[in-house]
């Protein structure tokens, strides 16, 4: 069994975390989004990469 | 063309304020490094997921470095393309339907200058995202799987980037005359159509820009069938981009006011 | 020297529908012209053509005697009906952006932008995002961006129609102020607004110019004697009122919405004595008798066939 090399894995988790944080900041500062804001908080936090992606591409109003 | 420069700076500021310049490169990096990581840890992932038939794990063969890198770039052709098309779809349509175009085009800003600025801004975003994403993907592949030729990675990324730019230029063209969702849908459909045609008729359509992803894979594998196979797809890709760009500026000039 | 603006035979056809149907007028430097007309009269289309945003189907626009070209855009300021800005920009950033697009240098742009924002009373909001501005603030920002490059001609489309009374007052005061410094064309469907700030009035209806002239010349031209009559709602009285439409000394009669009768007459003296004598002889229950002249509002209603 390979040992999990954390030095290579943590950047992946850090980037996913960063994406979620950008999503939440953008959500907090947005005046209005499609659908209720709390729904997007859940989607961003639980949806991983896909959740943030969905928020950025269809949740935001431009 | 000084006005084009100010408009470009406005586009970049807009991308920064909407976090596009941040989240799209991050997504590209994640997509890029996920491929080598999941290839490398596949046995562990399978084991954790539970009942794997015995002997299955022993059969698992770590894919080659070039193959992994090609798969990373392939991600950009799917999820990456979707993200880029959705982010470019509002480029002209948003200005037209939102009414901001009416104000800026009453100034000495020509539709051609505005279109140049918008196209350059999309190119900046694409180059930044693809550059960072491919570099990180290559780094992870080399660390976890095996050596890659950096020049091959560069060549493959450039070929793939040109294909992505073709599709983004399509999005801009459609955005200049249609509403945003229609623009994104049509440009993705056009990309899929071109790719399908190329798969069905690979030999007669060797020269088409849809050959670029395949050429990119071959560049990584360093097994190009003929040395100059890339010339015609690259030239036709550039021609397509120029046509889309000129079409976009023409259409934006005609459709600068919101529809009633 | 040619007039500032010469418009001749301007036509615009959209998808087979004529929106502007042959408009011609000249405008001298320093004048303020109101384009007055009901909705759908073709005011917005006319202004968009003047702003160079739409190309006319037929006809020509000359500025300083020359066809409008690239240089022209530096010399006009344009404010559309409901201006949209980039909501993610601050007021100050937008003003900078607009000035630089109009070819101003960095320092000049910064100076003019700050000065205009202050003049419009937006200096406190300059560093806030436009997305948070009220309708009145957006309209003032719209005026600021239209004026920042010191244009020779200002084109404003319904600058006050979407505002509340206070916002309206603010913009009208600013307009009067800037109307002294530059040439202005603005569109409105409210006669009062036109009278308040403008020297010349162009009344538009269904894509054509229905009436054109200075305020005072229009007043003189339409200064016809008018008698307004109102009676109690009784059969005999109403019949008597109706009979005026066929009398020889009455040029024209029209029933108003409140039931009173407007009578345009040839000669006030004789008409007045006839009407009053008849009313006395027949015992007509008169509620109102007024001898006056046509107001500009009536001229407007008449011109647009309302």
């Amino acid at each position: 069994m390979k040992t999990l090399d954390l030095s290579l894995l943590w950047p992946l988790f850090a980037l996913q975390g960063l994406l979620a944080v950008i999503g939440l900041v953008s959500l907090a500062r947005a005046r209005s989004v499609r659908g209720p804001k709390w729904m997007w908080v859940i989607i961003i936090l639980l949806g991983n990469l896909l959740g943030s992606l969905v928020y950025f591409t269809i949740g935001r109003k431009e | 063309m000084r006005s084009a420069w100010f408009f470009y700076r406005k586009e970049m500021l807009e991308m920064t304020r909407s976090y596009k310049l941040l989240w799209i490169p991050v997504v590209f990096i994640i997509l890029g490094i996920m491929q080598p990581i999941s290839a490398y840890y596949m046995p562990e992932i399978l084991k954790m997921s539970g009942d794997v038939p015995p002997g299955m794990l022993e059969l698992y063969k770590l894919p080659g470095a070039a193959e992994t890198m090609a798969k990373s770039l392939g991600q950009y052709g799917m999820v990456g393309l979707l993200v880029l098309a959705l982010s470019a779809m509002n480029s002209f349509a948003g200005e037209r339907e939102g009414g901001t175009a009416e104000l800026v085009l009453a100034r000495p800003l020509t539709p051609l200058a505005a279109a140049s600025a918008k196209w350059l801004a999309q190119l900046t975003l694409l180059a930044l995202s693809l550059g960072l994403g491919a570099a990180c993907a290559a780094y992870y592949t080399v660390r976890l799987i095996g050596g890659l030729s950096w020049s091959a990675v560069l060549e493959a990324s450039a070929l793939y980037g040109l294909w992505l730019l073709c599709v983004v230029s399509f999005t801009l063209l459609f955005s200049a005359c249609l509403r945003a969702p229609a623009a994104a849908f049509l440009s993705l459909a056009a990309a899929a159509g071109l790719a399908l045609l190329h798969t069905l008729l690979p030999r007669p359509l060797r020269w088409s820009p849809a050959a670029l992803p395949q050429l990119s894979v071959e560049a990584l594998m360093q097994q190009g069938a003929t040395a100059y196979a890339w010339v015609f797809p690259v030239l036709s890709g550039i021609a397509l981009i120029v046509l889309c760009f000129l079409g976009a500026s023409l259409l934006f000039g005609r459709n600068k006011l919101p529809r009633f | 020297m040619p007039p500032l603006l010469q418009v001749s035979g301007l036509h615009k056809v959209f998808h087979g529908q004529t929106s502007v149907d042959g408009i011609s007028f000249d405008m001298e430097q320093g004048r303020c012209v109101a384009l007055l007309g009901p909705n759908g009269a073709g005011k917005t289309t006319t202004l968009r053509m003047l702003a160079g945003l739409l190309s006319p189907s037929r006809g020509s626009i000359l500025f300083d005697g020359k066809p409008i070209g690239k240089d022209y855009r530096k010399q006009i300021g344009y404010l559309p009906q409901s201006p949209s800005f980039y909501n993610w920009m601050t007021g100050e950033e937008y003003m900078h952006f607009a000035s630089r697009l109009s070819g101003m240098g960095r320092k000049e742009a910064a100076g003019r932008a700050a000065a205009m924002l202050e003049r419009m009373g937006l200096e406190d909001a300059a560093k806030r995002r436009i997305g948070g501005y009220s309708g009145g603030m957006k309209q003032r920002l719209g005026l600021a961006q239209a004026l920042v490059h010191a244009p020779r001609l200002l084109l404003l489309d319904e600058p006050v129609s979407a505002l509340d009374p206070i916002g309206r007052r603010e913009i009208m005061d600013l307009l009067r102020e800037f109307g002294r410094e530059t040439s202005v064309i603005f569109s409105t469907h409210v006669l009062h607004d036109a009278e308040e700030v403008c020297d010349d009035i162009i009344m538009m209806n269904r894509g054509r110019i229905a009436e054109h002239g200075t305020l005072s010349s229009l007043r003189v031209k339409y200064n016809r004697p008018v008698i307004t009559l109102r009676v109690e709602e009784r059969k005999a009285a109403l019949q008597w009122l109706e009979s005026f439409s066929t009398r020889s000394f009455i040029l024209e009669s029209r029933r108003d919405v409140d039931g009173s009768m407007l009578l345009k007459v040839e000669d006030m003296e004789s008409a007045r004595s006839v009407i009053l004598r008849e009313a006395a002889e027949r015992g007509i229950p008169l509620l109102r008798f007024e001898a006056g002249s046509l107001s500009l509002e009536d001229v407007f209603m008449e011109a647009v066939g309302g």
Side-chain angles (χ1 to χ4, degrees):
Chain A
M1 163 125 193
K2 289 169 203 138
T3 49
L4 289 177
D5 185 351
L6 281 181
S7 70
L8 278 175
L9 273 181
W10 73 257
L12 179 62
F13 299 124
L15 283 171
Q16 298 230 8
L18 174 65
L19 198 62
V21 169
I22 304 169
L24 291 176
V25 170
S26 137
L27 185 63
R29 300 187 66 169
R31 248 184 309 283
S32 67
V33 291
R34 288 194 178 84
K37 281 197 176 189
W38 59 264
M39 178 186 84
W40 287 114
V41 174
I42 295 173
I43 291 177
I44 291 170
L45 287 180
L46 301 183
N48 258 333
L49 176 65
L50 197 64
S52 305
L53 260 186
V54 170
Y55 165 70
F56 278 121
T57 48
I58 63 172
R60 289 174 57 88
K61 281 186 193 164
E62 294 199 53
Chain B
M1 279 285 118
R2 274 169 68 79
S3 58
W5 167 241
F6 297 121
F7 207 71
Y8 172 75
R9 290 208 342 216
K10 171 247 151 194
E11 287 290 314
M12 294 316 290
L13 186 65
E14 184 167 15
M15 280 190 184
T16 315
R17 296 252 166 105
S18 65
Y19 305 98
K20 263 183 200 163
L21 214 49
L22 201 54
W23 75 263
I24 295 181
V26 168
V27 167
F28 269 65
I29 296 173
I30 294 177
L31 288 175
I33 67 177
M34 211 112 102
Q35 211 58 44
I37 288 177
S38 61
Y40 182 72
Y41 290 112
M42 189 53 84
E44 280 70 26
I45 297 169
L46 287 176
K47 228 178 280 171
M48 269 186 278
S49 72
D51 36 65
V52 189
M56 193 54 183
L57 287 176
E58 285 66 38
L59 279 177
Y60 180 76
K61 222 171 102 251
L62 195 63
E67 195 188 334
T68 310
M69 185 66 206
K71 274 190 180 157
S72 286
L73 288 179
Q75 287 291 314
Y76 301 148
M78 306 293 286
V79 188
L81 206 52
L82 188 69
V83 165
L84 289 173
L86 288 175
S87 97
M89 68 182 184
N90 261 313
S91 197
F92 291 106
E95 302 248 8
R96 181 183 62 240
E97 305 299 331
T100 47
E102 185 172 6
L103 273 169
V104 291
L105 289 176
R107 297 193 173 274
L109 172 78
T110 58
L112 183 68
S116 318
K118 283 186 174 291
W119 185 81
L120 262 182
Q122 293 300 328
L123 174 63
T124 311
L125 177 67
L126 170 61
L128 183 73
S129 307
L130 184 66
L132 283 174
C136 292
Y139 174 78
Y140 268 73
T141 306
V142 169
R143 284 287 303 271
L144 289 172
I145 294 167
L148 281 170
S149 145
W150 285 101
S151 66
V153 169
L154 196 66
E155 194 187 329
S157 308
L159 289 170
Y160 218 104
L162 190 62
W163 167 243
L164 296 183
L165 191 59
C166 285
V167 185
V168 170
S169 302
F170 264 136
T171 315
L172 287 180
L173 173 69
F174 292 130
S175 178
C177 56
L178 302 169
R179 287 185 186 276
F185 177 77
L186 269 185
S187 60
L188 290 171
L194 279 183
L196 184 68
L197 270 180
H198 180 256
T199 337
L200 291 177
L201 308 161
R203 288 194 64 81
L205 290 176
R206 272 191 300 246
W207 52 269
S208 114
L212 287 167
Q214 183 56 37
L215 285 169
S216 153
V217 174
E218 284 167 12
L220 276 170
M221 305 290 195
Q222 290 178 311
Q223 44 153 256
T226 44
Y228 292 100
W230 54 270
V231 173
F232 283 106
V234 166
L235 286 181
S236 67
I238 291 173
L240 178 72
I241 290 167
V242 170
L243 282 179
C244 283
F245 162 72
L246 290 177
S249 65
L250 193 73
L251 286 170
F252 188 47
R254 289 196 190 159
N255 304 288
K256 49 200 158 198
L257 300 170
R259 317 215 158 163
F260 303 101
Chain C
M1 213 177 97
L4 182 72
L5 195 66
Q6 289 166 283
V7 175
S8 49
L10 215 54
H11 276 265
K12 184 71 191 178
V13 182
F14 287 114
H15 310 294
Q17 274 206 319
T18 304
S19 171
V20 171
D21 190 10
I23 279 189
S24 307
F25 67 92
D26 285 359
M27 180 188 181
E28 298 293 336
Q29 173 100 40
R31 303 292 286 185
C32 173
V33 177
L35 275 183
L36 182 66
N39 292 330
K43 293 170 295 182
T44 298
T45 308
T46 303
L47 280 172
R48 281 176 172 168
M49 285 193 280
L50 292 179
L53 286 168
L54 287 177
S55 45
S57 307
R58 261 184 291 145
S60 71
I61 304 169
L62 299 181
F63 186 79
D64 275 343
K66 292 187 287 283
I68 61 174
K70 210 178 154 204
D71 210 34
Y72 170 66
R73 290 171 191 274
K74 277 189 191 174
Q75 310 199 45
I76 57 158
Y78 173 63
L79 175 63
Q81 192 156 359
S82 45
S84 309
F85 306 97
Y86 302 107
N87 284 333
W88 47 269
M89 272 192 186
T90 66
E92 193 177 38
E93 282 167 345
Y94 191 85
M95 291 295 287
H96 273 245
F97 171 64
S99 332
R100 309 266 356 229
L101 280 187
S102 287
M104 291 163 76
R106 183 195 296 274
K107 266 195 181 157
E108 191 194 3
R112 285 282 300 176
M116 287 316 301
L117 285 169
E118 199 188 323
R119 241 179 124 172
M120 296 295 157
L122 286 170
E123 65 270 36
D124 295 329
K127 297 222 182 319
R128 294 214 318 262
R129 298 267 166 104
I130 300 171
Y133 281 19
S134 69
M137 288 163 81
K138 279 189 185 158
Q139 205 68 10
R140 277 182 281 148
L141 181 64
L143 209 49
Q145 65 83 30
L147 284 161
V148 71
H149 49 295
R152 289 176 57 205
L153 175 62
L154 197 56
L155 303 166
L156 313 168
D157 194 4
E158 297 271 2
V160 294
S161 54
L163 299 177
D164 60 25
I166 297 172
R168 191 187 196 92
R169 182 77 273 132
E170 285 172 353
I171 297 290
M172 290 310 280
D173 289 344
L174 287 165
L175 269 186
R176 225 192 331 255
E177 200 180 318
F178 285 103
R180 283 196 290 268
E181 299 166 22
T182 182
S183 315
V184 181
I185 301 183
F186 88 100
S187 73
T188 176
H189 59 269
V190 184
L191 174 82
H192 183 70
D193 294 341
E195 278 181 297
E196 208 174 322
V197 287
C198 278
D199 330 300
D200 300 301
I201 291 185
I202 296 177
M203 290 185 188
M204 276 186 78
N205 192 35
R206 301 207 185 104
R208 293 168 188 265
I209 293 184
E211 193 56 73
H212 177 196
T214 62
L215 250 168
S216 46
S217 76
L218 286 180
R219 284 214 178 92
V220 169
K221 184 172 174 188
Y222 284 90
N223 191 2
R224 300 228 189 88
V226 172
I227 290 172
T228 313
L229 269 181
R230 203 169 151 207
V231 295
E232 271 180 34
E233 302 270 324
R234 288 193 209 154
K235 206 172 169 217
L238 289 173
Q239 268 173 358
W240 175 71
L241 210 58
E242 289 302 331
S243 74
F244 284 114
S245 55
T246 54
R247 302 289 182 89
S248 58
F249 63 93
I250 306 283
L251 292 174
E252 219 183 303
S253 67
R254 177 159 58 88
R255 274 301 275 278
D256 230 351
V257 274
D258 66 344
S260 53
M261 186 73 113
L262 251 75
L263 304 169
K264 254 191 242 171
V265 296
E266 190 89 60
D267 178 53
M268 179 60 84
E269 291 305 315
S270 62
R272 176 159 48 196
S273 60
V274 171
I275 290 171
L276 288 178
R277 197 178 58 236
E278 280 187 18
E281 279 168 2
R282 302 183 188 194
I284 300 291
L286 269 183
L287 286 175
R288 183 171 165 213
F289 178 93
E290 195 181 310
S293 64
L294 217 54
S295 74
L296 219 48
E297 188 77 47
D298 298 320
V299 178
F300 176 42
M301 292 309 286
E302 203 167 281
V304 303

